[in-house]
Amino acid sequence: AQVFERRRDFLHNVSTTLIKNHDFVAAEELRSKNMLKNHALAMSIADVGWRTFLGMLAYKAELYHRQFLTVNPKNTTQACHECGFVMGTAGTEKLILADREWTCPKCHAHHDRDHNAAQNILTKGIIKLA
Ligand SMILES: [Zn+2]
Protein backbone atom coordinates (compact mmCIF):
# COMPACT_ATOMS: atom_id res chain seq x y z
CA ALA A 1 0.00 0.00 0.00
CA GLN A 2 2.88 2.34 0.73
CA VAL A 3 4.35 1.85 -2.74
CA PHE A 4 0.93 2.41 -4.27
CA GLU A 5 0.50 5.65 -2.37
CA ARG A 6 3.95 6.86 -3.30
CA ARG A 7 3.22 6.15 -6.96
CA ARG A 8 -0.14 7.90 -6.74
CA ASP A 9 1.56 10.92 -5.17
CA PHE A 10 4.08 10.88 -8.00
CA LEU A 11 1.27 10.91 -10.58
CA HIS A 12 -0.33 13.79 -8.70
CA ASN A 13 2.91 15.74 -9.00
CA VAL A 14 3.34 14.92 -12.70
CA SER A 15 -0.26 15.84 -13.54
CA THR A 16 -0.10 19.10 -11.58
CA THR A 17 3.14 20.12 -13.32
CA LEU A 18 1.77 19.24 -16.76
CA ILE A 19 -1.43 21.21 -16.27
CA LYS A 20 0.14 24.22 -14.58
CA ASN A 21 2.77 24.64 -17.32
CA HIS A 22 0.53 24.22 -20.37
CA ASP A 23 -2.63 25.93 -21.56
CA PHE A 24 -3.67 22.83 -23.47
CA VAL A 25 -2.91 19.15 -22.79
CA ALA A 26 -3.99 16.23 -24.96
CA ALA A 27 -3.56 12.55 -24.09
CA GLU A 28 -4.51 9.22 -25.57
CA GLU A 29 -7.62 7.56 -24.16
CA LEU A 30 -5.61 4.40 -23.60
CA ARG A 31 -1.90 3.88 -23.41
CA SER A 32 -0.19 0.62 -22.58
CA LYS A 33 2.51 0.85 -19.96
CA ASN A 34 5.30 -0.37 -22.23
CA MET A 35 4.83 2.67 -24.46
CA LEU A 36 5.96 5.01 -21.70
CA LYS A 37 9.62 5.87 -21.89
CA ASN A 38 9.89 7.39 -18.42
CA HIS A 39 10.44 4.47 -16.05
CA ALA A 40 9.01 6.08 -12.91
CA LEU A 41 5.95 7.17 -14.85
CA ALA A 42 5.53 3.71 -16.43
CA MET A 43 5.75 1.97 -13.04
CA SER A 44 3.31 4.38 -11.45
CA ILE A 45 0.81 4.09 -14.25
CA ALA A 46 1.07 0.30 -14.20
CA ASP A 47 0.17 0.44 -10.52
CA VAL A 48 -2.30 3.28 -10.30
CA GLY A 49 -3.78 3.14 -13.80
CA TRP A 50 -3.97 5.30 -16.89
CA ARG A 51 -7.63 6.17 -16.25
CA THR A 52 -6.78 7.46 -12.78
CA PHE A 53 -4.00 9.56 -14.26
CA LEU A 54 -6.37 10.95 -16.93
CA GLY A 55 -8.85 11.73 -14.17
CA MET A 56 -6.20 13.72 -12.30
CA LEU A 57 -5.40 15.69 -15.46
CA ALA A 58 -9.08 16.38 -16.10
CA TYR A 59 -9.94 17.79 -12.69
CA LYS A 60 -6.72 19.78 -12.42
CA ALA A 61 -7.40 21.31 -15.83
CA GLU A 62 -10.67 22.56 -14.42
CA LEU A 63 -9.00 23.75 -11.24
CA TYR A 64 -6.36 25.77 -13.11
CA HIS A 65 -8.61 26.80 -16.02
CA ARG A 66 -6.72 24.85 -18.66
CA GLN A 67 -7.94 22.77 -21.59
CA PHE A 68 -7.52 19.02 -21.35
CA LEU A 69 -8.93 16.32 -23.61
CA THR A 70 -8.28 12.75 -24.69
CA VAL A 71 -8.00 11.48 -28.25
CA ASN A 72 -8.40 8.14 -30.00
CA PRO A 73 -4.99 6.41 -30.02
CA LYS A 74 -5.50 4.94 -33.50
CA ASN A 75 -2.37 5.41 -35.66
CA THR A 76 -0.76 8.00 -33.41
CA THR A 77 2.45 5.95 -33.52
CA GLN A 78 2.22 4.64 -37.09
CA ALA A 79 1.28 7.86 -38.90
CA CYS A 80 3.88 10.34 -40.18
CA HIS A 81 3.17 13.72 -38.64
CA GLU A 82 4.48 15.52 -41.74
CA CYS A 83 2.49 13.86 -44.53
CA GLY A 84 0.03 11.50 -42.85
CA PHE A 85 1.43 8.32 -44.35
CA VAL A 86 0.56 5.31 -42.15
CA MET A 87 3.20 2.65 -41.62
CA GLY A 88 1.87 -0.83 -42.32
CA THR A 89 0.04 0.39 -45.43
CA ALA A 90 1.13 0.36 -49.09
CA GLY A 91 3.32 -2.69 -48.54
CA THR A 92 5.36 -1.19 -45.69
CA GLU A 93 6.06 -2.86 -42.35
CA LYS A 94 4.43 -1.55 -39.19
CA LEU A 95 6.79 0.07 -36.72
CA ILE A 96 7.64 -2.12 -33.78
CA LEU A 97 8.61 -1.09 -30.25
CA ALA A 98 12.29 -1.41 -31.04
CA ASP A 99 12.00 1.24 -33.78
CA ARG A 100 12.92 4.30 -31.75
CA GLU A 101 13.59 6.35 -34.88
CA TRP A 102 12.31 5.94 -38.40
CA THR A 103 12.15 7.62 -41.77
CA CYS A 104 8.86 8.09 -43.58
CA PRO A 105 8.96 6.18 -46.89
CA LYS A 106 6.70 8.77 -48.54
CA CYS A 107 8.05 12.20 -47.53
CA HIS A 108 11.39 11.02 -46.08
CA ALA A 109 10.94 12.95 -42.84
CA HIS A 110 13.07 11.46 -40.06
CA HIS A 111 11.21 10.90 -36.79
CA ASP A 112 11.85 10.18 -33.18
CA ARG A 113 9.06 7.67 -32.57
CA ASP A 114 7.70 9.23 -29.37
CA HIS A 115 8.02 12.82 -30.54
CA ASN A 116 6.17 12.02 -33.76
CA ALA A 117 3.42 10.28 -31.76
CA ALA A 118 3.17 13.25 -29.39
CA GLN A 119 2.75 15.61 -32.36
CA ASN A 120 -0.02 13.41 -33.75
CA ILE A 121 -1.77 13.38 -30.37
CA LEU A 122 -1.54 17.17 -30.12
CA THR A 123 -2.87 17.62 -33.67
CA LYS A 124 -5.79 15.28 -32.95
CA GLY A 125 -6.46 17.23 -29.76
CA ILE A 126 -6.46 20.58 -31.56
CA ILE A 127 -8.85 19.21 -34.22
CA LYS A 128 -11.16 17.87 -31.51
CA LEU A 129 -11.01 21.18 -29.65
CA ALA A 130 -12.03 23.21 -32.70
ZN1 LIG B 1 5.78 11.40 -44.24
Side-chain angles (χ1 to χ4, degrees), residues 79-85 102-109 111:
C80 168
H81 179 67
E82 296 294 328
C83 74
F85 182 82
W102 57 285
T103 300
C104 175
K106 192 178 170 194
C107 75
H108 307 290
H111 298 296

Side-chain angles (χ1 to χ4, degrees), residues 31-88:
R31 193 70 161 155
S32 68
K33 64 180 188 293
N34 60 3
M35 301 293 282
L36 289 158
K37 199 162 37 171
N38 182 309
H39 181 68
L41 195 56
M43 294 299 285
S44 299
I45 283 169
D47 228 30
V48 180
W50 184 241
R51 296 224 166 258
T52 304
F53 184 55
L54 294 183
M56 291 176 182
L57 289 167
Y59 86 73
K60 287 171 189 181
E62 247 176 69
L63 200 63
Y64 294 103
H65 307 289
R66 306 288 201 251
Q67 295 272 9
F68 167 72
L69 53 78
T70 56
V71 301
N72 189 322
K74 189 175 194 293
N75 288 340
T76 51
T77 299
Q78 303 293 334
C80 168
H81 179 67
E82 296 294 328
C83 74
F85 182 82
V86 179
M87 294 300 285

Side-chain angles (χ1 to χ4, degrees), residues 5-17:
E5 274 162 33
R6 207 165 59 229
R7 285 177 176 163
R8 194 179 53 192
D9 286 348
F10 175 73
L11 290 184
H12 268 299
N13 289 335
V14 170
S15 55
T16 300
T17 304

